[in-house]
Amino acid sequence: QSALTQPRSVSGSPGQSVTISCTGTSSDVGAYDSVSWYQQHPGKAPKVMIYDVNKRPSGVPDRFSGSKSGNTASLTISGLQAEDEADYHCCSYAGSYTPVFGGGTKLTVL
Amino acid sequence: EVQLVESGGDLVQPGGSLRLSCAATGLTFSSYWMHWVRQAPGKGLVWVSRINSDGSTTSYADSVKGRFTITRDNAKNTLYLQMNSLRADDTAVYYCARALKFARWFDPWGQGTLVTVSS
């Protein structure tokens, strides 16, 4: 199973919006509405921000939203804040009770 | 509050063995599938292995198949990863994570334990 493809880095100024893409195949992202996104600050554990493509767990700000089209999923963060600076990892269900992750994207808040 | 705490990471020589543990609190551990995910320094997350709720079925990434074994003790609320024939490219922080909908998403994750394979 090949890793999902994410941009290495994205950046934005406070208050702006940024979108991070996650491209897979018709066997993972395209096959299931089971894409999740994880935020990871340096030295910390990943934290789920989006699951099932566009659902937010309790406590996650509504500035975070997710979508999917074909084999590509996206995470959009609106109203960027300094605390959003982190690594973001996408993940898709890939069948047979296994997931596949992306390579991670570093978000810099300018 | 659901909490996962890993332990057992260490510096080990190539070819050596190590057993990682993941202690779970605040949840009915025996109800959930559990996974191990690793992250090499400066790299992304990579799925390693998973086990179903009663421990009867397991699955592994090709890179660790035949070398790693995932088990669980539901009486002790603990997940394990036995790692044998370790290689330099196994160097990573290893996270345990509770699976929701079997493998659709993960919450929470442990804080991770560092495994370094080097002579």
mmCIF file with all atom_site columns, all heavy atoms in Angstrom, chain B residues 90-105:
data_model
loop_
_atom_site.group_PDB
_atom_site.id
_atom_site.type_symbol
_atom_site.label_atom_id
_atom_site.label_alt_id
_atom_site.label_comp_id
_atom_site.label_asym_id
_atom_site.label_entity_id
_atom_site.label_seq_id
_atom_site.pdbx_PDB_ins_code
_atom_site.Cartn_x
_atom_site.Cartn_y
_atom_site.Cartn_z
_atom_site.occupancy
_atom_site.B_iso_or_equiv
_atom_site.pdbx_formal_charge
_atom_site.auth_seq_id
_atom_site.auth_comp_id
_atom_site.auth_asym_id
_atom_site.auth_atom_id
_atom_site.pdbx_PDB_model_num
ATOM 1   N N   . ASP B 1 90  ? 13.798  0.369  11.390 1.00 0.00 ? 90  ASP B N   1
ATOM 2   C CA  . ASP B 1 90  ? 12.707  0.282  12.374 1.00 0.00 ? 90  ASP B CA  1
ATOM 3   C C   . ASP B 1 90  ? 12.790  1.413  13.388 1.00 0.00 ? 90  ASP B C   1
ATOM 4   O O   . ASP B 1 90  ? 11.899  1.560  14.225 1.00 0.00 ? 90  ASP B O   1
ATOM 5   C CB  . ASP B 1 90  ? 12.749  -1.059 13.125 1.00 0.00 ? 90  ASP B CB  1
ATOM 6   C CG  . ASP B 1 90  ? 12.463  -2.240 12.221 1.00 0.00 ? 90  ASP B CG  1
ATOM 7   O OD1 . ASP B 1 90  ? 11.544  -2.142 11.383 1.00 0.00 ? 90  ASP B OD1 1
ATOM 8   O OD2 . ASP B 1 90  ? 13.158  -3.278 12.359 1.00 0.00 ? 90  ASP B OD2 1
ATOM 9   N N   . THR B 1 91  ? 13.860  2.207  13.319 1.00 0.00 ? 91  THR B N   1
ATOM 10  C CA  . THR B 1 91  ? 14.011  3.336  14.230 1.00 0.00 ? 91  THR B CA  1
ATOM 11  C C   . THR B 1 91  ? 12.868  4.313  14.035 1.00 0.00 ? 91  THR B C   1
ATOM 12  O O   . THR B 1 91  ? 12.638  4.815  12.929 1.00 0.00 ? 91  THR B O   1
ATOM 13  C CB  . THR B 1 91  ? 15.354  4.047  13.986 1.00 0.00 ? 91  THR B CB  1
ATOM 14  O OG1 . THR B 1 91  ? 16.422  3.159  14.344 1.00 0.00 ? 91  THR B OG1 1
ATOM 15  C CG2 . THR B 1 91  ? 15.452  5.327  14.803 1.00 0.00 ? 91  THR B CG2 1
ATOM 16  N N   . ALA B 1 92  ? 12.143  4.583  15.118 1.00 0.00 ? 92  ALA B N   1
ATOM 17  C CA  . ALA B 1 92  ? 10.949  5.429  15.024 1.00 0.00 ? 92  ALA B CA  1
ATOM 18  C C   . ALA B 1 92  ? 10.347  5.627  16.410 1.00 0.00 ? 92  ALA B C   1
ATOM 19  O O   . ALA B 1 92  ? 10.685  4.920  17.355 1.00 0.00 ? 92  ALA B O   1
ATOM 20  C CB  . ALA B 1 92  ? 9.900   4.795  14.107 1.00 0.00 ? 92  ALA B CB  1
ATOM 21  N N   . VAL B 1 93  ? 9.441   6.581  16.489 1.00 0.00 ? 93  VAL B N   1
ATOM 22  C CA  . VAL B 1 93  ? 8.542   6.672  17.638 1.00 0.00 ? 93  VAL B CA  1
ATOM 23  C C   . VAL B 1 93  ? 7.343   5.790  17.321 1.00 0.00 ? 93  VAL B C   1
ATOM 24  O O   . VAL B 1 93  ? 6.761   5.896  16.232 1.00 0.00 ? 93  VAL B O   1
ATOM 25  C CB  . VAL B 1 93  ? 8.087   8.122  17.892 1.00 0.00 ? 93  VAL B CB  1
ATOM 26  C CG1 . VAL B 1 93  ? 7.034   8.156  18.999 1.00 0.00 ? 93  VAL B CG1 1
ATOM 27  C CG2 . VAL B 1 93  ? 9.280   8.991  18.261 1.00 0.00 ? 93  VAL B CG2 1
ATOM 28  N N   . TYR B 1 94  ? 7.012   4.914  18.252 1.00 0.00 ? 94  TYR B N   1
ATOM 29  C CA  . TYR B 1 94  ? 5.894   3.989  18.072 1.00 0.00 ? 94  TYR B CA  1
ATOM 30  C C   . TYR B 1 94  ? 4.712   4.469  18.914 1.00 0.00 ? 94  TYR B C   1
ATOM 31  O O   . TYR B 1 94  ? 4.842   4.682  20.129 1.00 0.00 ? 94  TYR B O   1
ATOM 32  C CB  . TYR B 1 94  ? 6.308   2.577  18.474 1.00 0.00 ? 94  TYR B CB  1
ATOM 33  C CG  . TYR B 1 94  ? 7.194   1.923  17.438 1.00 0.00 ? 94  TYR B CG  1
ATOM 34  C CD1 . TYR B 1 94  ? 8.515   2.312  17.291 1.00 0.00 ? 94  TYR B CD1 1
ATOM 35  C CD2 . TYR B 1 94  ? 6.699   0.947  16.585 1.00 0.00 ? 94  TYR B CD2 1
ATOM 36  C CE1 . TYR B 1 94  ? 9.327   1.747  16.324 1.00 0.00 ? 94  TYR B CE1 1
ATOM 37  C CE2 . TYR B 1 94  ? 7.505   0.366  15.616 1.00 0.00 ? 94  TYR B CE2 1
ATOM 38  C CZ  . TYR B 1 94  ? 8.815   0.777  15.488 1.00 0.00 ? 94  TYR B CZ  1
ATOM 39  O OH  . TYR B 1 94  ? 9.608   0.215  14.522 1.00 0.00 ? 94  TYR B OH  1
ATOM 40  N N   . TYR B 1 95  ? 3.573   4.641  18.247 1.00 0.00 ? 95  TYR B N   1
ATOM 41  C CA  . TYR B 1 95  ? 2.347   5.066  18.906 1.00 0.00 ? 95  TYR B CA  1
ATOM 42  C C   . TYR B 1 95  ? 1.336   3.916  18.908 1.00 0.00 ? 95  TYR B C   1
ATOM 43  O O   . TYR B 1 95  ? 1.186   3.226  17.898 1.00 0.00 ? 95  TYR B O   1
ATOM 44  C CB  . TYR B 1 95  ? 1.701   6.227  18.158 1.00 0.00 ? 95  TYR B CB  1
ATOM 45  C CG  . TYR B 1 95  ? 2.505   7.509  18.116 1.00 0.00 ? 95  TYR B CG  1
ATOM 46  C CD1 . TYR B 1 95  ? 3.273   7.834  17.004 1.00 0.00 ? 95  TYR B CD1 1
ATOM 47  C CD2 . TYR B 1 95  ? 2.464   8.409  19.173 1.00 0.00 ? 95  TYR B CD2 1
ATOM 48  C CE1 . TYR B 1 95  ? 3.986   9.022  16.943 1.00 0.00 ? 95  TYR B CE1 1
ATOM 49  C CE2 . TYR B 1 95  ? 3.176   9.599  19.132 1.00 0.00 ? 95  TYR B CE2 1
ATOM 50  C CZ  . TYR B 1 95  ? 3.935   9.890  18.014 1.00 0.00 ? 95  TYR B CZ  1
ATOM 51  O OH  . TYR B 1 95  ? 4.639   11.078 17.968 1.00 0.00 ? 95  TYR B OH  1
ATOM 52  N N   . CYS B 1 96  ? 0.615   3.786  20.010 1.00 0.00 ? 96  CYS B N   1
ATOM 53  C CA  . CYS B 1 96  ? -0.575  2.941  19.985 1.00 0.00 ? 96  CYS B CA  1
ATOM 54  C C   . CYS B 1 96  ? -1.778  3.871  19.855 1.00 0.00 ? 96  CYS B C   1
ATOM 55  O O   . CYS B 1 96  ? -1.730  5.029  20.274 1.00 0.00 ? 96  CYS B O   1
ATOM 56  C CB  . CYS B 1 96  ? -0.685  2.076  21.238 1.00 0.00 ? 96  CYS B CB  1
ATOM 57  S SG  . CYS B 1 96  ? -0.832  2.965  22.797 1.00 0.00 ? 96  CYS B SG  1
ATOM 58  N N   . ALA B 1 97  ? -2.820  3.366  19.255 1.00 0.00 ? 97  ALA B N   1
ATOM 59  C CA  . ALA B 1 97  ? -4.010  4.176  19.029 1.00 0.00 ? 97  ALA B CA  1
ATOM 60  C C   . ALA B 1 97  ? -5.254  3.300  19.068 1.00 0.00 ? 97  ALA B C   1
ATOM 61  O O   . ALA B 1 97  ? -5.242  2.162  18.588 1.00 0.00 ? 97  ALA B O   1
ATOM 62  C CB  . ALA B 1 97  ? -3.916  4.900  17.686 1.00 0.00 ? 97  ALA B CB  1
ATOM 63  N N   . ARG B 1 98  ? -6.305  3.843  19.649 1.00 0.00 ? 98  ARG B N   1
ATOM 64  C CA  . ARG B 1 98  ? -7.598  3.156  19.641 1.00 0.00 ? 98  ARG B CA  1
ATOM 65  C C   . ARG B 1 98  ? -8.253  3.398  18.282 1.00 0.00 ? 98  ARG B C   1
ATOM 66  O O   . ARG B 1 98  ? -8.312  4.527  17.804 1.00 0.00 ? 98  ARG B O   1
ATOM 67  C CB  . ARG B 1 98  ? -8.505  3.692  20.743 1.00 0.00 ? 98  ARG B CB  1
ATOM 68  C CG  . ARG B 1 98  ? -9.888  3.059  20.717 1.00 0.00 ? 98  ARG B CG  1
ATOM 69  C CD  . ARG B 1 98  ? -10.788 3.602  21.802 1.00 0.00 ? 98  ARG B CD  1
ATOM 70  N NE  . ARG B 1 98  ? -11.114 5.007  21.677 1.00 0.00 ? 98  ARG B NE  1
ATOM 71  C CZ  . ARG B 1 98  ? -12.052 5.622  22.395 1.00 0.00 ? 98  ARG B CZ  1
ATOM 72  N NH1 . ARG B 1 98  ? -12.740 4.933  23.286 1.00 0.00 ? 98  ARG B NH1 1
ATOM 73  N NH2 . ARG B 1 98  ? -12.284 6.897  22.234 1.00 0.00 ? 98  ARG B NH2 1
ATOM 74  N N   . ALA B 1 99  ? -8.772  2.328  17.708 1.00 0.00 ? 99  ALA B N   1
ATOM 75  C CA  . ALA B 1 99  ? -9.444  2.440  16.417 1.00 0.00 ? 99  ALA B CA  1
ATOM 76  C C   . ALA B 1 99  ? -10.941 2.630  16.624 1.00 0.00 ? 99  ALA B C   1
ATOM 77  O O   . ALA B 1 99  ? -11.563 1.963  17.456 1.00 0.00 ? 99  ALA B O   1
ATOM 78  C CB  . ALA B 1 99  ? -9.201  1.191  15.578 1.00 0.00 ? 99  ALA B CB  1
ATOM 79  N N   . LEU B 1 100 ? -11.495 3.545  15.865 1.00 0.00 ? 100 LEU B N   1
ATOM 80  C CA  . LEU B 1 100 ? -12.930 3.705  15.810 1.00 0.00 ? 100 LEU B CA  1
ATOM 81  C C   . LEU B 1 100 ? -13.406 3.133  14.480 1.00 0.00 ? 100 LEU B C   1
ATOM 82  O O   . LEU B 1 100 ? -12.754 3.341  13.450 1.00 0.00 ? 100 LEU B O   1
ATOM 83  C CB  . LEU B 1 100 ? -13.318 5.193  15.928 1.00 0.00 ? 100 LEU B CB  1
ATOM 84  C CG  . LEU B 1 100 ? -13.221 5.862  17.315 1.00 0.00 ? 100 LEU B CG  1
ATOM 85  C CD1 . LEU B 1 100 ? -14.126 5.133  18.303 1.00 0.00 ? 100 LEU B CD1 1
ATOM 86  C CD2 . LEU B 1 100 ? -11.819 5.934  17.822 1.00 0.00 ? 100 LEU B CD2 1
ATOM 87  N N   . LYS B 1 101 ? -14.538 2.414  14.513 1.00 0.00 ? 101 LYS B N   1
ATOM 88  C CA  . LYS B 1 101 ? -15.013 1.715  13.316 1.00 0.00 ? 101 LYS B CA  1
ATOM 89  C C   . LYS B 1 101 ? -13.888 0.842  12.741 1.00 0.00 ? 101 LYS B C   1
ATOM 90  O O   . LYS B 1 101 ? -13.642 0.856  11.528 1.00 0.00 ? 101 LYS B O   1
ATOM 91  C CB  . LYS B 1 101 ? -15.491 2.687  12.248 1.00 0.00 ? 101 LYS B CB  1
ATOM 92  C CG  . LYS B 1 101 ? -16.727 3.500  12.602 1.00 0.00 ? 101 LYS B CG  1
ATOM 93  C CD  . LYS B 1 101 ? -17.187 4.252  11.355 1.00 0.00 ? 101 LYS B CD  1
ATOM 94  C CE  . LYS B 1 101 ? -18.255 5.262  11.664 1.00 0.00 ? 101 LYS B CE  1
ATOM 95  N NZ  . LYS B 1 101 ? -18.630 6.052  10.467 1.00 0.00 ? 101 LYS B NZ  1
ATOM 96  N N   . PHE B 1 102 ? -13.214 0.108  13.620 1.00 0.00 ? 102 PHE B N   1
ATOM 97  C CA  . PHE B 1 102 ? -12.181 -0.879 13.275 1.00 0.00 ? 102 PHE B CA  1
ATOM 98  C C   . PHE B 1 102 ? -10.876 -0.268 12.772 1.00 0.00 ? 102 PHE B C   1
ATOM 99  O O   . PHE B 1 102 ? -9.816  -0.586 13.264 1.00 0.00 ? 102 PHE B O   1
ATOM 100 C CB  . PHE B 1 102 ? -12.710 -1.885 12.258 1.00 0.00 ? 102 PHE B CB  1
ATOM 101 C CG  . PHE B 1 102 ? -14.018 -2.496 12.659 1.00 0.00 ? 102 PHE B CG  1
ATOM 102 C CD1 . PHE B 1 102 ? -15.167 -2.287 11.920 1.00 0.00 ? 102 PHE B CD1 1
ATOM 103 C CD2 . PHE B 1 102 ? -14.112 -3.257 13.812 1.00 0.00 ? 102 PHE B CD2 1
ATOM 104 C CE1 . PHE B 1 102 ? -16.375 -2.837 12.313 1.00 0.00 ? 102 PHE B CE1 1
ATOM 105 C CE2 . PHE B 1 102 ? -15.319 -3.809 14.210 1.00 0.00 ? 102 PHE B CE2 1
ATOM 106 C CZ  . PHE B 1 102 ? -16.458 -3.585 13.464 1.00 0.00 ? 102 PHE B CZ  1
ATOM 107 N N   . ALA B 1 103 ? -10.936 0.599  11.765 1.00 0.00 ? 103 ALA B N   1
ATOM 108 C CA  . ALA B 1 103 ? -9.687  1.193  11.259 1.00 0.00 ? 103 ALA B CA  1
ATOM 109 C C   . ALA B 1 103 ? -9.995  2.470  10.500 1.00 0.00 ? 103 ALA B C   1
ATOM 110 O O   . ALA B 1 103 ? -9.188  2.920  9.702  1.00 0.00 ? 103 ALA B O   1
ATOM 111 C CB  . ALA B 1 103 ? -8.961  0.217  10.349 1.00 0.00 ? 103 ALA B CB  1
ATOM 112 N N   . ARG B 1 104 ? -11.188 3.023  10.749 1.00 0.00 ? 104 ARG B N   1
ATOM 113 C CA  . ARG B 1 104 ? -11.611 4.174  9.960  1.00 0.00 ? 104 ARG B CA  1
ATOM 114 C C   . ARG B 1 104 ? -10.990 5.456  10.490 1.00 0.00 ? 104 ARG B C   1
ATOM 115 O O   . ARG B 1 104 ? -10.756 6.391  9.730  1.00 0.00 ? 104 ARG B O   1
ATOM 116 C CB  . ARG B 1 104 ? -13.134 4.282  9.978  1.00 0.00 ? 104 ARG B CB  1
ATOM 117 C CG  . ARG B 1 104 ? -13.828 2.992  9.516  1.00 0.00 ? 104 ARG B CG  1
ATOM 118 C CD  . ARG B 1 104 ? -13.929 2.878  8.024  1.00 0.00 ? 104 ARG B CD  1
ATOM 119 N NE  . ARG B 1 104 ? -14.467 1.593  7.602  1.00 0.00 ? 104 ARG B NE  1
ATOM 120 C CZ  . ARG B 1 104 ? -15.115 1.401  6.456  1.00 0.00 ? 104 ARG B CZ  1
ATOM 121 N NH1 . ARG B 1 104 ? -15.300 2.400  5.619  1.00 0.00 ? 104 ARG B NH1 1
ATOM 122 N NH2 . ARG B 1 104 ? -15.546 0.197  6.145  1.00 0.00 ? 104 ARG B NH2 1
ATOM 123 N N   . TRP B 1 105 ? -10.805 5.540  11.814 1.00 0.00 ? 105 TRP B N   1
ATOM 124 C CA  . TRP B 1 105 ? -10.098 6.668  12.386 1.00 0.00 ? 105 TRP B CA  1
ATOM 125 C C   . TRP B 1 105 ? -9.620  6.304  13.771 1.00 0.00 ? 105 TRP B C   1
ATOM 126 O O   . TRP B 1 105 ? -9.983  5.264  14.297 1.00 0.00 ? 105 TRP B O   1
ATOM 127 C CB  . TRP B 1 105 ? -10.940 7.956  12.386 1.00 0.00 ? 105 TRP B CB  1
ATOM 128 C CG  . TRP B 1 105 ? -12.273 7.889  13.044 1.00 0.00 ? 105 TRP B CG  1
ATOM 129 C CD1 . TRP B 1 105 ? -13.372 7.213  12.623 1.00 0.00 ? 105 TRP B CD1 1
ATOM 130 C CD2 . TRP B 1 105 ? -12.682 8.604  14.213 1.00 0.00 ? 105 TRP B CD2 1
ATOM 131 N NE1 . TRP B 1 105 ? -14.425 7.427  13.479 1.00 0.00 ? 105 TRP B NE1 1
ATOM 132 C CE2 . TRP B 1 105 ? -14.037 8.291  14.457 1.00 0.00 ? 105 TRP B CE2 1
ATOM 133 C CE3 . TRP B 1 105 ? -12.037 9.497  15.090 1.00 0.00 ? 105 TRP B CE3 1
ATOM 134 C CZ2 . TRP B 1 105 ? -14.756 8.827  15.519 1.00 0.00 ? 105 TRP B CZ2 1
ATOM 135 C CZ3 . TRP B 1 105 ? -12.752 10.026 16.145 1.00 0.00 ? 105 TRP B CZ3 1
ATOM 136 C CH2 . TRP B 1 105 ? -14.101 9.688  16.359 1.00 0.00 ? 105 TRP B CH2 1
#
